[in-house]
Amino acid sequence: MSTPPAKRQKRDQYRKRAAAAANEDTGKVKLPQKKFYRQRAHANPFSDHQLDYPLSPAHMDWSSHYPAFVNPDPEQKNLAGARKLLKDVEVVDIGCGFGGLLVGLAPLLPETLMLGMEIRTQVIEYVENRIQALRTQQNQLKNSSTTASESPAPAIPAEPATDGASPDAASTPETSNSPVPGGYQNISALRSNTMKFFPNFFGKQQLSKIFICFPDPHFKAKKHKARIISENLNAEYAYALKPGGLLYTITDVEEYHHWVLRHFREEGEHEASEGGVKDLFERVSEEELASDPCVEVMRESTEEGKKVTRNKGNKYVAVFRRKADPEWPA
Amino acid sequence: MAANFQLPLQCLQYLEKRGAESQRFLIASSGGKIYSYAAETGQRLSSWPQDVDASNANNSKATETETGSEDQAPPEKKRKVSPSEEGPAETSKSTVKASTWSSIPCLVAHSNGDYVIALTAEDKCVRVLRLKDDGTLEQLSERCMPKRPCSIALTDDGNTILCGDKFGDVYSLPLLPGNEPYVAPKLPNRPKVPSATPLTVHSKRNLESLEQQLRYSQKNSTEEKNSLNFQHQLLLGHVSLLTDVAFVTVPQDDNFGKKRSYILTGDRDEHIRVSRYPQAHIIEGYCLGHTAFVTKLCIPQYAPGYLISGGGDDYLLVWKWSEGRILQKVPLVKQESETTQVTVRGIWATSIGGSNIVLVALEGSSNLQCFVLGSDGTLKPQDPIEMSGNVLDVAIMEKDSTIVVSVDCIREKGSTHEWRASPTSPSNLIESFRVKPGTENLEWEPVTESLVTNINMGGSSGIPADADTKQRKELNDVLYSLGNLRKKHGEDD
Ligand SMILES: C[S@@+](CC[C@H](N)C(=O)[O-])C[C@H]1O[C@@H](n2cnc3c(N)ncnc32)[C@H](O)[C@@H]1O
């Protein structure tokens, strides 16, 4: 599948302009349109992509991701010589797609640094531009209310299209023209293959929440190794989560939901037996989830979640709490 | 007719039997065979699998390979032997035929000296052999793994084999399977309906997946098919290609007499993971500092708190592995040059005459680098030892202050693919060195005793000097495959 050159050129031009415009401090800031960022549906998590990843978490330069949170002391540098932040990233959206979850969570946890990770290049480019545009909009709103000079025209929200073929009928403006707590300074995204490089970004017990929303189902049994939830990967997620931290999952595929429960040993042949990841995770009760606003964001703000709502599909939620490491056997 | 090349000894292990009188052996794999030698004299005691017995002699295909050391035909000629050709189904355990594999890339000696664990390449089998007092080898078990294993380690009690495979999984297997036939754990009956319904599919991407699944489920829809018919446990997995597995037990400082065990795993994506054993789903930490693939993890027995790791970088790293802390970066090449890419083939640690020695060989190099590990965990370089051919493996006889090095007598020094113009007779299969006593620095003197001359005189399997390009390439690939781990960039989406 190759894109006709003319179309590709148009796309490239659009994306360049959008990236530049997202940074402009004056005039109308448009949010990027998704249709210019489409890409092949799947990227193989096993192949070698040309990915940037830090040598270790202590080598990661977060300063460009969260400029508002950079430590004011320029002497505070990490192992790679990059400026340190005032706090660590604590929330991660694995396979963040077009970033709907991050945008939804940003005002809920304005003081918490959150990161989306996504393997597809064009998709991540869209999220980056989207976040940049939102930040710029917010800055403008802030400035206009404080200086009360000539008020800039309200930002024109773009319609977030779907990544499917059909045009999105129910496109709604996603930004209000009022200031939002945190001004989207607390969210960012980067390209990565989380199945291979998660430990390069996050240290032991660094995270308080991990989200995995509408993961690619890989229905074919042969391809189940490509699923982003497995006992092996759950061990890595457990490593990065603080005791008490939460791992959120949502899927519209019933079988995948049961797969999730089995791989956290909440169901299936190992349910009763202790050991395995069951040492590390326990399922969070429905009552507790009812009062967790993150669950609502996961259901309704993700692009996939919206799609499922429109198609009147089911959504299956399972959330797990990281337990403390078990004692070493005596 | 030109003389034959001798097939090098790919793996070399030293074994000491703990019996009434101690018996000492060298065990080597070469092509599809394993030889045992008396460590004192170098006399060859046996060759495994045994020569084909008379009853099978009518099978001309089988006789082609099994003619001992005077063999004219290359044993690694791959022959596809279907079960029907293999003769009677109930061939006794001791008459295994080297017909389904052409190389044994991994050989591990059990610490009590009674067993050898061998990995046969093409059939992906872990084979446990008993080493008898007379030096003959008898196969006790063969366990074929689902994916090609790449590394084998033993737990320190010697009762469990840890086997890492290319797909990143590490299994544990009992050294000696029980007598009872293995009963696979029953999987609950899950309805074999497609996991997606039109209701759950909202996008083209999911629709494609569903169509795939519907097609697939007509053939076979059982997931996690459990086809291993022996006791095993999946301990942990990397999504990246796994390269090495190490096991270590350390005493706890604050808790006298208590010990804790860990399993360390290295992968192609530069990671070294430290997991608890046997609760390997609890990751204790990572040692991150390599910028290229990891090939070897070495935890010296004399200093179990340290890890020495190497791979596709032109340096070794010395770690305090429990903290994921780098103690030292040790250069492996004199000048850093852009053009030469080095790959660590082996790291060996031994304690001889009060010195804690670390030996390092690079892939396709005849130079065995020597270091002394200080108590602060730093490696001090010593004079290297130059071999007559590329270093393949090292066996260590601590009591004799001696190392035995298997060398490549086919390829030119320094090359993984260029063959020598002609074989020498006898070929140097091994060289041996002894630490010179009473010298201040680490100095080695060559061992010339019968051990060396007998093994080299005895030869292995002959490879015709006029082997064609294709056969040469096949043989090169068997011995030198680590370089393939290097990533070739540019093939992105
Ligand atoms: C079905 S989409 C869901 C997107 C988003 N979470 C949502 O709910 O709208 C799954 C996403 O995961 C991404 N993905 C799959 N494997 C990944 C990996 N190994 N690392 C990072 N992202 C991955 C895919 O590219 C895709 O964008």
Side-chain angles (χ1 to χ4, degrees):
Chain A
M1 263 208 311
S2 70
T3 319
K7 202 172 163 194
R8 192 187 308 143
Q9 202 185 352
K10 199 174 145 206
R11 258 199 214 168
D12 289 348
Q13 282 171 355
Y14 173 85
R15 300 212 303 251
K16 274 204 198 95
R17 265 185 282 120
N23 279 310
E24 258 167 46
D25 236 344
T26 51
K28 311 166 184 181
V29 177
K30 285 186 192 165
L31 286 167
Q33 292 181 36
K34 241 201 261 170
K35 65 178 178 186
F36 293 106
Y37 297 87
R38 270 175 213 145
Q39 195 186 358
R40 187 162 11 105
H42 294 279
N44 181 352
F46 300 112
S47 65
D48 297 331
H49 301 276
Q50 220 145 28
L51 292 166
D52 274 333
Y53 49 91
L55 199 54
S56 80
H59 291 81
M60 179 63 196
D61 180 0
W62 294 110
S63 62
S64 58
H65 286 274
Y66 307 99
F69 290 86
V70 172
N71 192 315
D73 177 359
E75 297 300 301
Q76 293 290 317
K77 298 223 174 105
N78 74 4
L79 288 184
R83 292 276 295 267
K84 281 192 181 175
L85 300 183
L86 292 165
K87 50 176 72 176
D88 287 335
V89 173
E90 271 197 41
V91 174
V92 174
D93 183 11
I94 291 179
C96 67
F98 293 95
L101 182 89
L102 293 169
V103 173
L105 287 179
L108 286 183
L109 303 162
E111 288 303 313
T112 306
L113 299 191
M114 300 191 264
L115 182 75
M117 300 176 96
E118 168 58 52
I119 198 169
R120 290 186 292 164
T121 328
Q122 270 91 316
V123 176
I124 207 68
E125 208 185 312
Y126 169 87
V127 186
E128 281 167 358
N129 290 346
R130 180 181 184 182
I131 293 173
Q132 195 48 55
L134 287 168
R135 285 181 181 176
T136 310
Q137 280 183 341
Q138 289 290 313
N139 275 338
Q140 288 180 346
L141 285 169
K142 225 165 74 188
N143 292 342
S144 67
S145 63
T146 49
T147 59
S149 64
E150 104 258 19
S151 61
I156 304 201
E159 72 271 31
T162 55
D163 61 329
S166 59
D168 193 333
S171 61
T172 45
E174 60 158 343
T175 44
S176 64
N177 297 318
S178 53
V180 148
Y184 300 107
Q185 294 293 335
N186 58 329
I187 57 171
S188 189
L190 53 78
R191 180 168 184 238
S192 185
N193 178 356
T194 61
M195 290 174 71
K196 283 188 176 178
F197 299 110
F198 207 63
N200 291 68
F201 290 90
F202 309 109
K204 193 172 186 167
Q205 303 188 354
Q206 175 177 338
L207 304 178
S208 52
K209 292 179 198 297
I210 295 176
F211 290 87
I212 303 176
C213 303
F214 301 99
D216 290 332
H218 298 287
F219 290 124
K220 218 167 152 183
K222 253 194 184 163
K223 293 220 165 167
H224 280 177
K225 226 195 131 126
R227 286 188 163 178
I228 210 150
I229 290 174
S230 67
E231 284 215 36
N232 290 331
L233 291 170
N234 291 351
E236 288 193 359
Y237 303 147
Y239 170 78
L241 275 174
K242 300 179 204 294
L246 299 176
L247 192 148
Y248 294 76
T249 71
I250 184 167
T251 176
D252 56 324
V253 180
E254 189 178 3
E255 184 270 347
Y256 202 126
H257 177 61
H258 291 291
W259 165 278
V260 170
L261 295 179
R262 276 205 305 288
H263 288 79
F264 282 96
R265 302 214 178 168
E266 286 292 329
E267 200 179 275
E269 60 262 38
H270 298 297
E271 188 193 344
S273 64
E274 286 299 307
V277 284
K278 192 117 196 215
D279 286 347
L280 298 174
F281 287 102
E282 64 192 5
R283 192 166 175 191
V284 177
S285 70
E286 294 293 326
E287 301 88 77
E288 208 175 315
L289 292 185
S291 58
D292 184 344
C294 296
V295 174
E296 184 62 16
V297 175
M298 188 164 73
R299 298 178 71 99
E300 304 304 339
S301 299
T302 53
E303 279 71 19
E304 284 296 313
K306 287 180 184 161
K307 225 184 281 177
V308 177
T309 304
R310 278 199 301 280
N311 289 286
K312 305 198 168 51
N314 296 324
K315 296 175 194 172
Y316 303 91
V317 173
V319 181
F320 303 90
R321 181 179 293 107
R322 169 75 154 95
K323 299 200 268 187
D325 278 348
E327 291 293 306
W328 280 83
Chain B
M1 196 187 115
N4 281 337
F5 282 112
Q6 295 298 305
L7 201 59
L9 307 181
Q10 184 167 8
C11 304
L12 192 61
Q13 291 278 308
Y14 170 68
L15 242 82
E16 213 169 298
K17 257 178 174 299
R18 296 203 197 117
E21 70 233 79
S22 91
Q23 282 178 290
R24 298 137 47 79
F25 301 93
L26 278 170
I27 309 288
S29 70
S30 177
K33 296 179 191 172
I34 301 176
Y35 304 122
S36 66
Y37 303 92
E40 287 86 3
T41 61
Q43 185 201 350
R44 192 201 285 180
L45 304 172
S46 76
S47 167
W48 177 92
Q50 286 166 344
D51 298 352
V52 175
D53 47 18
S55 63
N56 273 345
N58 55 355
N59 185 339
S60 60
K61 282 188 170 172
T63 47
E64 224 172 77
T65 48
E66 297 298 329
T67 48
S69 60
E70 303 82 31
D71 201 349
Q72 299 297 310
E76 43 291 292
K77 229 193 216 177
K78 280 182 208 142
R79 282 156 296 110
K80 294 199 180 70
V81 181
S82 71
S84 60
E85 280 178 286
E86 258 179 287
E90 64 274 25
T91 40
S92 90
K93 276 182 183 168
S94 52
T95 58
V96 183
K97 290 186 291 302
S99 47
T100 46
W101 64 87
S102 66
S103 76
I104 299 177
C106 189
L107 204 58
V108 176
H110 195 271
S111 58
N112 71 7
D114 288 337
Y115 308 103
V116 174
I117 297 105
L119 182 72
T120 45
E122 287 85 352
D123 59 358
K124 303 181 277 217
C125 272
V126 176
R127 296 166 189 275
V128 176
L129 313 176
R130 183 202 304 282
L131 179 65
K132 296 196 210 153
D133 288 350
D134 63 358
T136 55
L137 291 160
E138 176 197 22
Q139 178 172 304
L140 299 181
S141 67
E142 69 177 29
R143 285 168 276 187
C144 293
M145 305 304 291
K147 295 286 174 332
R148 190 164 184 159
C150 54
S151 176
I152 285 178
L154 283 164
T155 56
D156 65 339
D157 64 6
N159 293 330
T160 305
I161 299 172
L162 304 175
C163 175
D165 71 33
K166 284 216 160 182
F167 271 57
D169 292 331
V170 179
Y171 290 88
S172 73
L173 316 170
L175 176 73
L176 304 173
N179 283 329
E180 302 86 60
Y182 173 74
V183 193
K186 265 224 181 81
L187 290 172
N189 291 328
R190 260 180 243 132
K192 285 173 187 171
V193 293
S195 55
T197 66
L199 186 68
T200 64
V201 174
H202 314 290
S203 59
K204 210 166 88 184
R205 54 199 276 117
N206 282 10
L207 198 64
E208 273 169 22
S209 287
L210 177 63
E211 278 162 8
Q212 270 184 344
Q213 186 205 9
L214 288 170
R215 249 176 285 138
Y216 190 75
S217 63
Q218 287 162 358
K219 282 182 267 168
N220 183 355
S221 70
T222 44
E223 81 183 30
E224 298 163 62
K225 214 169 59 182
N226 203 336
S227 59
L228 299 185
N229 63 346
F230 48 84
Q231 202 186 326
H232 67 277
Q233 204 189 340
L234 180 60
L235 282 181
L236 64 94
H238 291 220
V239 169
S240 312
L241 201 151
L242 197 105
T243 51
D244 203 13
V245 179
F247 182 88
V248 60
T249 298
V250 283
Q252 271 182 266
D253 307 335
D254 51 344
N255 202 337
F256 206 69
K258 282 255 171 86
K259 289 177 177 176
R260 288 177 177 178
S261 298
Y262 301 84
I263 172 166
L264 278 72
T265 40
D267 73 29
R268 179 166 174 254
D269 290 308
E270 306 100 34
H271 304 115
I272 299 169
R273 169 174 155 179
V274 179
S275 317
R276 277 192 200 178
Y277 181 84
Q279 295 84 8
H281 54 279
I282 304 174
I283 301 171
E284 291 289 335
Y286 287 89
C287 295
L288 302 175
H290 281 286
T291 60
F293 56 98
V294 176
T295 54
K296 289 293 161 198
L297 305 175
C298 173
I299 299 173
Q301 241 171 24
Y302 51 75
Y306 298 138
L307 163 72
I308 303 149
S309 63
D313 286 313
D314 57 11
Y315 53 83
L316 298 174
L317 290 175
V318 187
W319 303 87
K320 185 108 178 69
W321 57 262
S322 59
E323 300 165 20
R325 184 158 57 91
I326 298 175
L327 299 175
Q328 197 193 2
K329 189 166 165 175
V330 187
L332 289 171
V333 286
K334 289 255 160 55
Q335 287 128 337
E336 283 183 39
S337 67
E338 289 282 315
T339 48
T340 52
Q341 291 185 323
V342 307
T343 302
V344 171
R345 179 180 181 96
I347 308 173
W348 302 266
T350 178
S351 198
I352 292 178
S355 299
N356 290 335
I357 300 172
V358 172
L359 304 168
V360 179
L362 301 182
E363 182 96 323
S365 164
S366 54
N367 197 262
L368 186 65
Q369 302 197 33
C370 304
F371 302 87
V372 169
L373 182 69
S375 54
D376 58 349
T378 55
L379 285 177
K380 288 174 201 66
Q382 312 288 314
D383 287 339
I385 319 175
E386 185 64 24
M387 307 289 159
S388 63
N390 298 335
V391 177
L392 298 178
D393 202 357
V394 176
I396 295 157
M397 311 200 287
E398 256 177 32
K399 277 186 200 150
D400 310 290
S401 307
T402 298
I403 59 170
V404 183
V405 183
S406 76
V407 295
D408 183 352
C409 47
I410 294 186
R411 264 115 320 206
E412 295 281 5
K413 276 169 105 168
S415 173
T416 55
H417 56 272
E418 233 170 275
W419 285 37
R420 298 171 192 220
S422 59
T424 51
S425 184
S427 291
N428 272 355
L429 291 173
I430 63 157
E431 290 182 50
S432 180
F433 299 85
R434 190 183 290 121
V435 174
K436 259 192 208 169
T439 52
E440 202 159 299
N441 287 324
L442 186 64
E443 281 181 53
W444 302 87
E445 57 187 10
V447 172
T448 50
E449 276 96 280
S450 64
L451 164 72
V452 177
T453 46
N454 277 339
I455 291 182
N456 290 341
M457 294 284 281
S460 56
S461 315
I463 302 292
D466 57 359
D468 61 22
T469 327
K470 184 165 164 276
Q471 197 190 355
R472 287 180 178 215
K473 183 172 184 314
E474 273 173 20
L475 290 169
N476 296 344
D477 292 346
V478 164
L479 226 46
Y480 300 104
S481 58
L482 291 174
N484 298 336
L485 293 168
R486 202 174 293 278
K487 292 181 192 174
K488 294 165 200 77
H489 276 306
E491 46 191 56
D492 206 6
D493 46 4

